[in-house]
Structure formats: C-alpha cells, structure tokens
C-alpha cells in the first residue's frame, strides 16, 4: 500500500511541476520506480513499529 501511495504522489508531483511535465513520458517511470524504492525500507520500518507496539 505504501508503494502505490508514494508512486502515485511522485507521479502527481511530476505532472504538477511544469519543467518535469514537459518530458512526462521520460520522468514518470523514474518517479514510479523511485516511489517504490523508497517505499520498501519505509514499509519495513512501519512493520517493525507495528510489531513492537503489538508486543507490549
């Protein structure tokens, strides 16, 4: 879930910035890949925080 949210936010950011939007076909795949790449470690941290709070 975090991957799709971050990837979608990155795509919206690419489309909202005019200098990025002019070459959207080239920038959108990079935005999606970076969103998923950032989401992997964040998902791990969130899962650890949930597991730690459940163990208490």
């Amino acid at each position: 879930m975090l991957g799709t949210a971050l990837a979608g936010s990155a795509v919206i950011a690419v489309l909202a910035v005019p200098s990025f939007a002019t070459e959207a076909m080239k920038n959108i795949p990079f935005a999606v890949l970076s969103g998923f790449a950032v989401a992997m470690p964040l998902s791990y941290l969130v899962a650890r925080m949930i597991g730690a709070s459940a163990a208490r």
Side-chain angles (χ1 to χ4, degrees):
M1 298 247 331
L2 191 56
T4 56
L6 288 177
S9 298
V11 169
I12 290 172
V14 166
L15 295 175
V17 176
S19 61
F20 290 146
T22 56
E23 296 188 18
M25 293 300 288
K26 191 176 7 172
N27 292 331
I28 287 176
F30 291 122
V32 170
L33 288 175
S34 65
F36 278 120
V38 169
M40 286 183 213
L42 284 178
S43 296
Y44 178 75
L45 291 174
V46 169
R48 287 194 61 186
M49 291 174 64
I50 291 172
S53 68
R56 292 183 194 178

